[in-house]
Amino acid sequence: RAKARGRATYQFFEPSLAETAYADLVLEAELAQALTRNEFELFFQPQVDIATGQLSGAEALLRWRHPRRGLLAPDAFIFVAERHRLMLALGEWVLREAAATARRWREQGLTPGPAPVRIAVNLSRMQFNLDGFADTVARVLGDAGARGQWLELELTERMLIDDIQHAPTTLAQLRALGLTVSVDDFGTGYTSLAHLTELPLDKLKIDQSFVSRLPDDVGAQAITRAIVQMAVGLGLTVTAEGVRTAAQWQLLAGWGAQQIQGELVGLPMPAAEFEAWVRAR
Ligand code: C2E
Ligand code: MG
Ligand code: MG
Ligand code: MG
């Protein structure tokens, strides 16, 4: 492409910026229509109890069935949705879909145990920062005929720190509705665990960048073990993300982590496939 435009380097940057802006505009326009065209879908990834191997929950992961580009993962489009506030509508769609799915699984008796399979939903900063977010959640639950106990919300460290004024209140309201609140990708941000103890939280999810370096990497071992042990000491549930090997599972179990999620258990699947997977176990 650069060759077709000649050798001058200044020509390389200008069109490339314009192209990026144009691609963003196209994506934005397509995103706006994708909701009404029903092109979004939730995939579900199992989370299991580390001691028993029993299913404890499922993380809902957003996918876009793009008419030309095929199945897209969030990294391909979320950033545009966030920039253009489309994320609010999209985020509410995710919540509604998760609540409806939780209700359906409950009605189908999908899980053997007394506790329902909790569905974990990833939140965007834009949603969490919005005034009255807990009211939105309450409304979504009511509309779907779902209980707060059936859902979990995943926030990042950054979201909590950036909204430190309102975060405690919002978190308390969400927990009063019965929802579980967890911190996603823990260890990648700048939060100290001490800082998090001031917030009403239930769970930490240890980022897969640490887990994936287990068991061999001594540094990753030290960090992961410290996080797990402190979190457990603080009464938080610990989920390890991106677990791929039995050796990783064993190490994490030994340190006291309670749940795992990752390739070893199952990758994210469409709802029907997830349901079949659960029944086949
Ligand atoms: P996340 O919440 O940390 O989700 C975990 C990501 O790791 C998922 O990528 C999942 O497919 C992937 N993963 C799970 N197990 C393994 C494993 O064993 N090995 C490897 N290499 N990867 C694994 P995905 O689905 O592409 O999602 C990426 C991120 O997009 C998520 O990271 C989350 O931050 C965001 N996201 C996903 N769905 C939503 C949504 O509905 N709303 C918002 N706001 N963000 C979302
Ligand atoms: Mg997550
Ligand atoms: Mg994560
Ligand atoms: Mg992530």
Side-chain angles (χ1 to χ4, degrees):
R1 214 194 281 156
K3 203 175 172 185
R5 284 185 197 121
R7 284 172 188 274
T9 45
Y10 65 90
Q11 279 188 333
F12 181 79
F13 289 100
E14 222 182 332
S16 130
L17 273 179
E19 276 166 17
T20 306
Y22 179 71
D24 269 17
L25 277 178
V26 171
L27 201 62
E28 184 193 346
E30 289 175 338
L31 266 176
Q33 294 183 319
L35 259 182
T36 52
R37 290 182 179 171
N38 263 316
E39 291 171 0
F40 291 108
E41 186 175 327
L42 292 184
F43 273 36
F44 296 92
Q45 183 174 33
Q47 300 175 328
V48 302
D49 184 283
I50 205 164
T52 64
Q54 279 232 349
L55 187 71
S56 54
E59 179 171 3
L61 294 156
L62 185 60
R63 297 291 182 268
W64 179 8
R65 290 206 187 269
H66 191 282
R68 282 175 293 107
R69 296 164 65 194
L71 193 67
L72 297 183
D75 292 349
F77 60 89
I78 285 249
F79 69 103
V80 174
E82 292 200 310
R83 218 185 289 155
H84 299 284
R85 299 186 68 82
L86 273 168
M87 197 59 227
L88 289 178
L90 185 51
E92 187 165 328
W93 179 87
V94 171
L95 271 173
R96 288 189 179 279
E97 187 69 12
T101 305
R103 160 120 200 215
R104 195 176 74 235
W105 288 351
R106 187 79 181 173
E107 284 167 354
Q108 292 173 349
L110 189 69
T111 48
V117 174
R118 207 185 275 126
I119 297 181
V121 172
N122 292 281
L123 291 185
S124 112
R125 162 196 319 236
M126 204 177 264
Q127 290 173 277
F128 184 69
N129 287 0
L130 203 67
D131 276 341
F133 174 66
D135 298 332
T136 302
V137 173
R139 190 157 30 81
V140 167
L141 289 172
D143 290 350
R147 299 181 53 196
Q149 283 78 4
W150 303 350
L151 293 187
E152 174 172 328
L153 298 178
E154 297 191 0
L155 301 104
T156 62
E157 295 169 71
R158 265 260 78 87
M159 283 162 64
L160 293 170
I161 298 312
D162 288 353
D163 196 22
I164 203 72
Q165 296 288 319
H166 300 104
T169 314
T170 308
L171 295 177
Q173 288 170 337
L174 292 168
R175 287 174 100 211
L177 291 170
L179 287 96
T180 298
V181 180
S182 62
V183 183
D184 203 358
D185 305 338
F186 189 80
T188 59
Y190 302 93
T191 339
S192 67
L193 265 177
H195 205 151
L196 290 184
T197 58
E198 293 157 29
L199 294 168
L201 299 165
D202 300 291
K203 191 187 274 193
L204 288 191
K205 296 187 73 179
I206 300 189
D207 193 64
Q208 46 184 298
S209 61
F210 300 113
V211 177
S212 65
R213 286 188 272 139
L214 300 176
D216 298 330
D217 186 315
V218 179
Q221 267 208 39
I223 291 169
T224 312
R225 187 177 52 228
I227 293 175
V228 174
Q229 289 175 348
M230 280 195 280
V232 169
L234 291 168
L236 296 167
T237 302
V238 177
T239 303
E241 294 193 274
V243 177
R244 280 175 302 121
T245 70
Q248 292 171 341
W249 176 324
Q250 277 155 18
L251 213 47
L252 290 156
W255 293 334
Q258 290 100 329
Q259 294 175 349
I260 58 166
Q261 176 181 345
E263 209 179 307
L264 182 66
V265 181
L267 285 171
M269 305 168 241
E273 201 180 303
F274 179 85
E275 289 159 22
W277 181 90
V278 174
R279 291 206 177 88
R281 269 163 73 90

